[in-house]
Amino acid sequence: MNNILGYARVSTEGQNLEAQFDALKAAGVGRVFSEKISGSKRDRPELDKMIEQLRRGDVVTVTKYDRLSRSLQDLLAIVEEIRARGAGFRSLAEDIDTTTSSGRLIFHVFASISQFERERISERTREGLAAARKAGRIGGRPPALSRQQRDEVRRLRDEEGRRIAEIARLFDVSPNTVRRA
């Protein structure tokens, strides 16, 4: 008897797996392996456990293929590992089912488009940051201490011999901020 196994994943502790569980159960999934971990990390114990338990004819089902992985290379490697065990892969949102030849083709096309879009977002972000720097804007948090405050920090340390912890309390900053000043 073939099993339909599900994999559900969210990236952070604050996110909820319930919607994925509901969709997987509605698709006939018998057992769901789930975890709260970034999809960019390859060390995912529940995913590894599920793959180890696969038998010929089983089908791994996810709600969206990005639940399985965030990078095209990793996604293709995972789906190939599933295929090598004689199992299939199914993604509900993209209506992909690699147990068929057309499903395998669609899977590769969708995965490539997704990777392309992630790369474009990254390129646009880098371009935006470069344009902002060129215009004199610097990203990140503003400095905790103004130039005058940094000068005063140095004076308190060098001329008055005050301890770093005391100066940090005076300016309501961390001791590391005082050391950097």
Side-chain angles (χ1 to χ4, degrees), residues 143-161:
L145 298 172
S146 68
R147 178 169 302 287
Q148 294 83 7
Q149 288 174 319
R150 287 192 303 269
D151 291 342
E152 180 64 12
V153 163
R154 284 187 215 101
R155 190 190 69 71
L156 290 171
R157 186 198 62 204
D158 296 342
E159 294 176 16
E160 294 187 18

Side-chain angles (χ1 to χ4, degrees), residues 19-32 92:
Q20 290 180 60
F21 289 152
D22 293 344
L24 292 170
K25 292 294 180 188
V29 171
R31 180 171 179 203
V32 177
L92 302 175

Side-chain angles (χ1 to χ4, degrees), residues 10-79:
V10 291
S11 297
T12 63
E13 285 296 321
Q15 293 176 319
N16 191 326
L17 288 161
E18 292 306 314
Q20 290 180 60
F21 289 152
D22 293 344
L24 292 170
K25 292 294 180 188
V29 171
R31 180 171 179 203
V32 177
F33 294 80
S34 64
E35 48 202 348
K36 295 183 178 186
I37 191 167
S38 172
S40 61
K41 295 192 184 322
R42 182 56 187 106
D43 184 28
R44 288 174 272 162
E46 289 298 307
L47 176 62
D48 294 339
K49 188 187 309 181
M50 179 189 66
I51 290 173
E52 287 172 12
Q53 294 180 18
L54 288 175
R55 294 184 306 244
R56 182 163 298 286
D58 288 350
V59 177
V60 172
T61 304
V62 294
T63 56
K64 291 175 65 177
Y65 67 84
D66 70 349
R67 298 299 84 204
L68 201 56
S69 177
R70 298 297 270 174
S71 80
L72 176 60
Q73 183 178 3
D74 190 40
L75 179 65
L76 294 173
I78 293 168
V79 172

